[in-house]
Amino acid sequence: LGMSVLNGTIQIWDVETGQRIGEPFSGHTHPWPLSVRFSPDGTILASVGFDASVRLWDVASGELELTMSDPHWVNAVEFSPDGVTAAAEGFLGAAEQRVIRLWDLESNAAVWSAGVFRLADMVGIDTLVHVAKNSYEDLPDDEKREIFKVPD
């Protein structure tokens, strides 16, 4: 289990024993990372937060492997099933405006972004992707259908 702590660290816990595994990961510059997520193979832990970054940690060593900067603070993160891409959701300035960015983890580059309004904040990335896919499939004749297409 990975969790963020109000002192700016990320900690990993063994859910069977209730014991912390290793030392806390530290590196966020704001004292409250907002979200953590393990990669599909469990070797990388992603963390995001108010410091406007997506940070990737090697789970075995606790070393910070990669920091991807964003112009806005980041609220949530998720890996693609193959672990090559990370999706990060955050604020675009005004409190009601959100943005989702897809990051190529090999090149440390944002490869796609889209502004969304309120939906991602209320229900999260998983639901947003689900709604977008269903809308794309259910609107075959709609002239605006392409805005709901989720990249592979």
Side-chain angles (χ1 to χ4, degrees):
L1 170 69
M3 63 183 268
S4 64
V5 183
L6 289 177
N7 65 5
T9 65
I10 309 297
Q11 298 180 2
I12 298 180
W13 297 82
D14 183 315
V15 294
E16 291 182 13
T17 66
Q19 299 295 311
R20 189 176 76 202
I21 300 171
E23 293 299 313
F25 302 176
S26 59
H28 279 279
T29 58
H30 187 279
W32 189 12
L34 293 173
S35 178
V36 297
R37 183 71 69 178
F38 285 98
S39 64
D41 65 5
T43 62
I44 301 293
L45 183 72
S47 62
V48 298
F50 287 117
D51 62 357
S53 69
V54 177
R55 295 176 188 261
L56 303 180
W57 309 86
D58 180 276
V59 172
S61 70
E63 295 294 317
L64 179 61
E65 296 291 320
L66 181 63
T67 300
M68 297 174 288
S69 297
D70 196 274
H72 311 286
W73 64 277
V74 187
N75 191 45
V77 65
E78 182 62 78
F79 284 95
S80 62
D82 63 6
V84 173
T85 306
E89 179 264 336
F91 289 91
L92 223 181
E96 66 277 354
Q97 295 180 342
R98 307 291 186 261
V99 66
I100 293 177
R101 292 192 204 291
L102 296 184
W103 295 90
D104 179 307
L105 301 182
E106 295 174 355
S107 68
N108 186 20
V111 293
W112 181 82
S113 65
V116 293
F117 304 95
R118 295 194 184 270
L119 181 61
D121 184 51
M122 296 187 313
V123 297
I125 292 174
D126 293 339
T127 302
L128 175 66
V129 169
H130 179 75
V131 169
K133 284 181 178 180
N134 284 343
S135 297
Y136 183 81
E137 291 170 8
D138 293 341
L139 301 169
D141 300 321
D142 192 295
E143 64 185 49
K144 304 265 185 188
R145 178 179 189 237
E146 290 303 309
I147 67 170
F148 295 106
K149 187 170 184 174
V150 177
D152 293 332

